[in-house]
């Protein structure tokens, strides 16, 4: 964050982090007390009124699910929890357990009502996982908060998601190094401003089971982690777009770039593949 007065910038930065905490407290599936986690106990067919923040997140996620044909699916909560257990035990889930988790998931199995700002679940044991979109969403809100306080020359770094405001003083843009398969070197350095860039892949998270290496990225079609070595970088107008679509690109594979580039807000898609992990 570039500013003339450090104290003012620190106040604005703290407000931005408080915004991120609000998103986390609302949309984290790790926190049992979060609003998102509480939805897992909702009765089938009974509308649940949501806060504006969670409703907007689910509405945005549902639109993305439809546009990507379910390659991005916010309702993979049952599969996400099962895959976390799988990675911890390094044992594939029982076939019946996996089948039940897959049955409980599916973006077509919940409806949203904007007039009552509510969600209705249509399957037993449904739950949500917004891990592929909430972080980008939070980064957008953080940058918006800083800009509204007068600090437009700011950058939000949220792991694999980067949200950029106006360029630093006397520079063309922010320098963003992209890493995919090698921590020791960068694939390229992007120079960007007023944009978002997200990279997804298995560089930091994977597990080997019975000689097969699985990514932490779930394939909605199988309920298991991806087994091909793939990484994707998406540049978009906002991080709530680049964040989930980088995951989508990994799920769909090499041909995804042609499809994703046609979606609103997407500026560039780069997909890299190496040999299968098997």
């Amino acid at each position: 964050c570039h500013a003339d007065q450090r104290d003012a910038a620190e106040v604005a930065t703290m407000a931005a982090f408080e915004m991120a905490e609000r998103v986390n407290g609302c949309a984290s599936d790790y926190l049992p007390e979060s609003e998102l986690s509480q939805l897992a106990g909702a009765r089938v067919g009974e509308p649940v009124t949501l806060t504006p923040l969670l409703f907007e997140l689910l509405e945005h996620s549902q639109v993305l699910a439809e546009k990507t044909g379910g390659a991005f699916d916010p309702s993979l909560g049952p599969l996400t929890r099962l895959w976390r257990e799988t990675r911890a035990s390094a044992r594939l889930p029982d076939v019946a357990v996996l089948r039940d988790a897959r049955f409980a998931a599916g973006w077509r199995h919940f409806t949203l009502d904007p007039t009552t700002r509510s969600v209705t679940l249509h399957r037993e044991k449904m739950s949500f996982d917004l891990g592929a979109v909430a972080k980008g969403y939070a980064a957008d809100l953080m940058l918006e908060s800083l800009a509204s306080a007068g600090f437009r020359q700011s950058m939000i770094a949220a792991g694999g998601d980067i949200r950029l405001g106006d360029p630093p003083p006397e520079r063309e843009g922010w320098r963003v190094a992209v890493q995919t398969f090698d921590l020791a070197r960068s694939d390229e350095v992007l120079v960007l401003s007023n944009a978002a860039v997200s990279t997804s892949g298995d560089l930091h998270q994977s597990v080997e089971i019975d000689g097969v290496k699985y990514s932490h990225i779930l394939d909605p079609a199988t309920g298991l982690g991806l087994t091909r070595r793939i990484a994707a970088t998406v540049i978009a107008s906002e991080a709530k777009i680049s964040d989930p679509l980088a995951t989508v690109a990994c799920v769909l594979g090499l041909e995804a770039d042609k499809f994703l580039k046609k979606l609103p807000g997407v500026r560039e898609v780069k997909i890299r593949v190496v040999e299968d992990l098997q």
Side-chain angles (χ1 to χ4, degrees):
C1 178
H2 290 269
D4 294 329
Q5 296 182 337
R6 182 182 180 88
D7 290 347
E10 287 181 345
V11 171
T13 300
M14 289 303 297
F17 274 110
E18 288 172 6
M19 182 68 71
E21 285 299 328
R22 279 183 53 202
V23 176
N24 188 55
C26 167
S28 171
D29 69 321
Y30 284 92
L31 301 175
E33 69 275 12
S34 74
E35 185 180 5
L36 187 78
S37 294
Q38 294 301 310
L39 278 181
R43 292 178 180 270
V44 172
E46 292 189 6
V48 178
T49 302
L50 305 175
T51 60
L53 189 135
L54 184 56
F55 185 86
E56 183 177 333
L57 253 173
L58 285 177
E59 189 174 46
H60 175 66
S61 297
Q62 193 176 56
V63 170
L64 284 174
E66 184 173 7
K67 288 182 177 179
T68 62
F72 170 77
D73 189 339
S75 69
L76 296 183
L79 289 167
T80 299
R81 287 196 300 276
L82 183 59
W83 191 241
R84 286 173 187 163
E85 295 171 3
T86 298
R87 290 169 59 195
S89 65
R91 295 176 59 187
L92 289 177
D94 178 81
V95 173
V97 173
L98 178 60
R99 182 189 62 236
D100 290 345
R102 290 182 64 189
F103 183 79
W107 65 273
R108 291 186 177 89
H109 304 318
F110 72 96
T111 54
L112 296 168
D113 186 343
T115 58
T116 58
R117 207 179 64 230
S118 63
V119 61
T120 303
L121 309 185
H122 303 296
R123 284 279 174 91
E124 295 284 352
K125 300 181 180 179
M126 278 196 77
S127 61
F128 295 93
D129 173 15
L130 299 179
V133 67
K135 191 168 57 170
Y137 184 86
D140 288 335
L141 291 180
M142 291 178 74
L143 187 66
E144 183 181 317
S145 176
L146 286 165
S148 66
F151 303 103
R152 300 191 59 85
Q153 294 173 303
S154 300
M155 176 189 73
I156 311 298
D161 306 303
I162 307 293
R163 184 66 167 96
L164 308 164
D166 289 351
E170 300 180 4
R171 291 188 184 179
E172 181 183 351
W174 300 86
R175 291 169 56 83
V176 180
V178 177
Q179 289 180 316
T180 52
F181 302 121
D182 190 350
L183 280 171
R185 66 178 181 84
S186 299
D187 295 290
E188 62 179 316
V189 176
L190 307 172
V191 180
L192 301 166
S193 62
N194 294 307
V197 54
S198 299
T199 297
S200 291
D202 66 351
L203 179 61
H204 297 287
Q205 299 186 66
S206 63
V207 63
E208 185 172 321
I209 303 175
D210 298 330
V212 179
K213 203 167 187 180
Y214 295 86
S215 167
H216 74 291
I217 299 174
L218 277 178
D219 183 349
T222 65
L224 303 175
L226 298 177
T227 57
R228 65 177 178 273
R229 198 80 195 270
I230 188 168
T233 298
V234 174
I235 302 172
S237 57
E238 299 175 281
K240 69 180 182 181
I241 298 173
S242 63
D243 184 8
L245 293 190
T247 300
V248 167
C250 290
V251 171
L252 295 181
L254 278 175
E255 297 301 313
D257 58 342
K258 299 170 186 175
F259 160 67
L260 295 178
K261 286 176 183 177
K262 299 177 183 178
L263 298 182
V266 177
R267 300 181 184 178
E268 192 170 355
V269 179
K270 301 181 180 184
I271 302 174
R272 299 175 174 86
V273 178
V274 295
E275 70 277 5
D276 283 354
L277 292 180
Q278 295 186 34

